[in-house]
Amino acid sequence: MPDAFAPAAEAGIHRLAIPTPFAVGRVNVYLIEDEPLTLVDAGPNSGRSLDALQRGLGELDHAIEDIGLVIVTHQHIDHIGLVDIVATHSGADVAAIDVLVPFIENYSETAAGEDEFAARIMLRHGISGDVVDALRSVSNAFRAWGARADVSRVLRDGDTIELRDRTLEVCFRPGHSPTDTVFYDADRRLLVAADHLIRHISSNPLIARPPGASDDPAERPQSLAIYLESLARTREMEVELVLPGHGDPITGHRALIDERFEFHRGRAEKIRELIAERSRTAYELAQALWGNIAVTQAYLTLSEVLGHTDLLLNAGRVREVEDDGVVRFEAVA
Ligand SMILES: [Zn+2]
């Protein structure tokens, strides 16, 4: 079988598949052989992941000490966990978009704040207190797979990163998380996209609080609506090869993005039908769609449902009715 990453390797970008403890499986870390030697993301903070990173670098005749720049794509812990270890051992610069800086520099506090915000959203949307508590301990247990890191180079949307042999344009694409950033090599028509676009899974726009935003769950961001806007911007780009944060490279990004648009339209319709049958909470909608939901999937599925009720709310097709702090969705005729 031909190596799907061969075209990237020809451009000097090597994929290192780093193990994670998460359902998503391995995370793609990219080594850009240029000056400085650049790593995009670093994998989760575990000995096993660090071994895999060192081994992968070794196979390419490099070592952690040689890395001069680490670029961070977004705030998720399967991407950021080893950034600090790599930067500390190599003295590398760490580059991240401005909105990601407070998150990664104060990782423990912001992660705890996010969990608190998530708990309020879950309670507001019909998930019971014991499930919320159970999920809080799961989330606590996973926290150590992330770690704080100092950012030495703050990026802004539209900035460029100049390496010896290439220029990467910094493009802010929030949605999958509030800090997603993709890096565009216009000369090679190549996009390092991390979790903004993944071939085999639709990138769940998890509800997360943008740094500095209100922690009132009634004012949560509309993650899916934001994500779809970001996808529309990416769709307009001239890209031949997308390097994702998980799974194989993507060609034909417009067709894949159109599939995603179609998928979300269909799911919003399905949810509108369920709401038209009778008013329901987002949690009841998730149960109607997926049956009995594992505790660990409760927030994920809730985010998925709320993303679509947001689209329906924006279109004036459903409304929220709040009773005793819990929201139900009702059809608008
Ligand atoms: Zn992610």
Side-chain angles (χ1 to χ4, degrees), residues 30 41-42 64 78 136 180 200 256 293 325:
Y30 293 98
D41 290 337
I64 283 180
D78 48 337
R136 204 181 260 137
D180 286 74
H200 63 292
L256 182 59
I293 298 155

Side-chain angles (χ1 to χ4, degrees), residues 74 76 78-79 176 195:
H74 69 299
H76 288 157
D78 48 337
H79 299 257
H176 163 74
D195 295 1

Side-chain angles (χ1 to χ4, degrees), residues 123-137:
L123 293 170
R124 180 173 166 80
H125 290 286
I127 296 187
S128 74
D130 10 318
V131 172
V132 172
D133 287 342
L135 203 54
R136 204 181 260 137
S137 28

Side-chain angles (χ1 to χ4, degrees), residues 56-232:
L57 291 170
E59 282 163 12
L60 296 162
D61 292 322
H62 296 290
I64 283 180
E65 291 70 23
D66 307 336
I67 292 167
L69 175 64
V70 182
I71 298 174
V72 188
T73 62
H74 69 299
Q75 68 198 59
H76 288 157
I77 57 183
D78 48 337
H79 299 257
I80 66 168
L82 286 174
V83 168
D84 184 54
I85 288 181
V86 171
T88 303
H89 284 265
S90 59
D93 265 328
V94 175
I97 192 118
D98 44 13
V99 291
L100 178 52
V101 176
F103 184 96
I104 195 168
E105 291 197 337
N106 310 293
Y107 167 70
S108 297
E109 297 85 338
T110 41
E114 291 266 285
D115 287 353
E116 204 36 59
F117 183 63
R120 284 187 211 164
I121 287 180
M122 288 189 276
L123 293 170
R124 180 173 166 80
H125 290 286
I127 296 187
S128 74
D130 10 318
V131 172
V132 172
D133 287 342
L135 203 54
R136 204 181 260 137
S137 28
V138 172
S139 182
N140 256 321
F142 276 124
R143 184 124 0 116
W145 268 276
R148 71 167 305 284
D150 286 312
V151 176
S152 53
R153 189 158 162 205
V154 180
L155 304 173
R156 287 185 177 77
D157 187 26
D159 278 1
T160 52
I161 300 175
E162 305 285 344
L163 307 182
R164 185 193 57 213
D165 299 335
R166 76 197 73 216
T167 300
L168 298 174
E169 190 186 331
V170 177
C171 308
F172 184 45
R173 291 288 188 274
H176 163 74
S177 85
T179 53
D180 286 74
T181 318
V182 301
F183 300 89
Y184 180 48
D185 181 338
D187 295 334
R188 294 175 180 81
R189 297 189 168 203
L190 188 149
L191 188 71
V192 179
D195 295 1
H196 173 61
L197 192 62
I198 298 172
R199 164 72 69 192
H200 63 292
I201 38 173
S202 115
S203 307
N204 308 289
L206 263 186
I207 294 167
R209 189 171 49 143
S214 156
D215 58 4
D216 178 351
E219 289 175 29
R220 62 178 173 76
Q222 295 196 339
S223 301
L224 179 59
I226 293 168
Y227 179 57
L228 294 176
E229 272 171 40
S230 288
L231 276 184

